[in-house]
Amino acid sequence: MEDLTAMPQENPVTAMSWLEDELHSLTVEGLRRSLTAIDDRRPGEICINGKWFSDFSGNDYLGLAQHPDCIRAAAQALQRYGCGSAGSRIVTGGVPPHANLEERLRHFTGAQACLLFPSGYQANVGSIAALCQPQDTIFSDAHNHASIVDGCRLSGAHRRIYPHGRWDILEEWLSEPQNSRRWILTDTVFSMDGSLAPIDHLARLSEEYGAPLLVDEAHAMGVLGPGGRGYCAQLKVRPQVQMGTFSKGLGSHGAFTATSDRVAQWLMNRARAFIYTTALPPAVLGSSIQALSLSTGPVGDNLRTKVLHLAKGLRSQLREAGLEPSGDGTPIVSLPFADPKQATVIQKLLGEAGSLAWAFRPPTVPPGTSRLRISLSAAHRRDQVDDLSEKLIQLIDP
Ligand SMILES: Cc1ncc(COP(=O)(O)O)c(C=O)c1O
């Protein structure tokens, strides 16, 4: 047996002492993160340290995370197939609900093939790193989600990041003569401010310059488009690769990539985030299947109408008061603060007044663009939203 006393004696804690200085700097800059211990939650509300808040911090846009039908479906799948999937899809980790959900997704998206991933993060990292090759060039919006950024880095492809909203610059770059294969990568709903990418324009650029379009519909799934099919469906655009999550508007967990048969086959063979990980567990699949069928029926239509109506009302109240909420037509409403500390102070004061919205600071957002992110849900009541808007106007005093 190995003699452990012969190992080097350096104290591993002392060896990491540089982290103290780094963490202290984060504290001083107002950028230090910590975890929040949640006691309990119910639709539209959350309990922290024994106190209930109206919860505007999550992404459960339709309020499906606690929908009785989804909970029942999850429980049935759990009873029938057990707690875990026991392996990767590529070995024997699949249970019938995996194939069932992928088949439903094919109909939902109209794509030739859909492949489930354990999370949206993995769907983006896995798909991008498998598809984009080191000799390729990726054009990516500066506000794209971290999982797109990480997928791009992992791919080793040459990256050209166009400033958010500067589609003219993207076009200028695309029009430069190039021999390499090119890709356009974008969120459809930008998660930090709820703004929308001009997907129809990007699809035209994609076609004109022969650069496949890869979209992240994480914040659009369940929320936008007919039956909650996303923003591309709303604009009748068919991207070459469409990523969608169950973890936000559909109130469950996991994600999918909807694409052609050929691309799906490639991902199955090359996407490491698909291959080297355990398949989604049965309970999650049960709730996702149920959420999808609620989303495409009258329940989904009512929930979408409600949440988008609440968001529109909040934006107009804030605008009337002289504030500058971001976005339009999505449930994400952000208020900008150049100073990250100010965003945190407003989060704290709002919390003391009974509402929880989250302050996002660098590195999640670029320096100088901290914000209070308010996300609305069909689980909210009108009076909760009115109360939030009154408090925001009082606290920020435009
Ligand atoms: C735009 C976007 N893409 C991908 C993800 C990752 O999805 P998931 O939380 O399912 O890993 C998120 C989640 O924060 C997101 O906002």
Side-chain angles (χ1 to χ4, degrees):
M1 201 166 89
E2 194 183 359
D3 177 8
L4 291 181
T5 57
M7 301 273 285
Q9 287 303 300
E10 191 183 24
N11 179 338
V13 177
T14 326
M16 294 288 187
S17 61
W18 60 275
L19 290 176
E20 269 326 306
D21 296 339
E22 295 293 331
L23 287 168
H24 180 67
S25 305
L26 290 179
T27 309
V28 171
E29 289 161 32
L31 300 178
R32 177 103 175 234
R33 292 161 161 158
S34 61
L35 298 183
T36 305
I38 312 294
D39 298 333
D40 201 358
R41 60 172 86 235
R42 55 190 182 219
E45 294 180 312
I46 194 161
C47 184
I48 300 171
N49 285 332
K51 178 176 170 181
W52 282 95
F53 299 85
S54 289
D55 181 15
F56 297 98
S57 66
N59 299 315
D60 182 18
Y61 304 120
L62 299 190
L64 291 181
Q66 307 210 24
H67 193 287
D69 292 357
C70 297
I71 295 172
R72 205 173 303 115
Q76 281 168 0
L78 178 71
Q79 286 284 353
R80 174 68 182 82
Y81 297 104
C83 297
S85 296
S88 162
R89 285 293 294 293
I90 220 73
V91 189
T92 51
V95 286
H98 285 106
N100 179 346
L101 181 52
E102 283 172 345
E103 182 57 19
R104 284 167 190 260
L105 282 168
R106 264 186 357 92
H107 290 287
F108 182 71
T109 60
Q112 276 180 350
C114 291
L115 205 58
L116 288 170
F117 282 76
S119 71
Y121 184 91
Q122 283 167 277
N124 273 339
V125 167
S127 305
I128 296 166
L131 289 168
C132 304
Q133 303 297 302
Q135 65 275 17
D136 297 357
T137 301
I138 293 173
F139 298 94
S140 179
D141 189 292
H143 284 196
N144 278 344
H145 188 254
S147 51
I148 294 189
V149 174
D150 292 355
C152 293
R153 289 179 182 161
L154 199 58
S155 74
H158 176 53
R159 284 163 270 143
R160 298 193 73 182
I161 315 299
Y162 54 92
H164 180 57
R166 295 299 306 274
W167 328 111
D168 53 325
I169 294 184
L170 168 65
E171 180 156 18
E172 199 182 303
W173 288 352
L174 280 164
S175 65
E176 291 169 5
Q178 272 219 22
N179 295 327
S180 65
R181 235 184 342 238
R182 297 175 298 172
W183 302 82
I184 302 171
L185 270 51
T186 187
D187 288 356
T188 56
V189 175
F190 290 94
S191 56
M192 285 296 117
D193 63 5
S195 63
L196 292 161
I199 285 299
D200 41 359
H201 178 57
L202 296 182
R204 273 195 299 277
L205 292 182
S206 153
E207 201 173 318
E208 186 174 343
Y209 294 101
L213 180 62
L214 188 151
V215 302
D216 175 341
E217 295 252 55
H219 294 273
M221 275 300 142
V223 180
L224 300 181
R229 287 174 171 80
Y231 191 49
C232 289
Q234 184 168 318
L235 298 193
K236 299 191 168 55
V237 163
R238 184 173 291 286
Q240 279 70 35
V241 183
Q242 178 190 31
M243 192 284 280
T245 59
F246 289 100
S247 50
K248 307 185 192 307
L250 294 167
S252 178
H253 194 90
F256 63 89
T257 297
T259 185
S260 63
D261 275 329
R262 187 162 41 192
V263 170
Q265 282 298 320
W266 180 252
L267 295 181
M268 223 179 276
N269 283 277
R270 282 290 181 273
R272 296 168 67 84
F274 174 82
I275 299 168
Y276 299 107
T277 192
T278 300
L280 279 168
V284 162
L285 300 166
S287 67
S288 297
I289 290 170
Q290 185 59 39
L292 214 53
S293 74
L294 288 175
S295 180
T296 47
V299 171
D301 289 338
N302 290 337
L303 296 173
R304 273 185 289 281
T305 304
K306 180 172 177 198
V307 68
L308 294 176
H309 187 68
L310 288 174
K312 189 172 176 190
L314 176 64
R315 279 192 183 96
S316 63
Q317 286 168 0
L318 296 176
R319 279 182 187 137
E320 269 166 36
L323 295 177
E324 293 177 357
S326 64
D328 260 323
T330 65
I332 305 167
V333 180
S334 281
L335 289 167
F337 294 91
D339 178 0
K341 285 187 196 142
Q342 203 193 351
T344 318
V345 168
I346 298 292
Q347 172 181 331
K348 186 166 167 288
L349 294 175
L350 197 61
E352 284 166 8
S355 290
L356 184 68
W358 213 256
F360 282 87
R361 299 161 290 163
T364 305
V365 294
T369 70
S370 292
R371 67 204 62 200
L372 191 74
R373 179 182 185 269
I374 300 151
S375 52
L376 294 154
S377 166
H380 289 134
R381 298 183 312 273
R382 172 94 243 170
D383 63 288
Q384 284 177 294
V385 181
D386 288 344
D387 183 53
L388 169 77
S389 108
E390 258 173 51
K391 285 173 193 154
L392 283 170
I393 293 165
Q394 278 166 16
L395 289 172
I396 302 175
D397 190 17

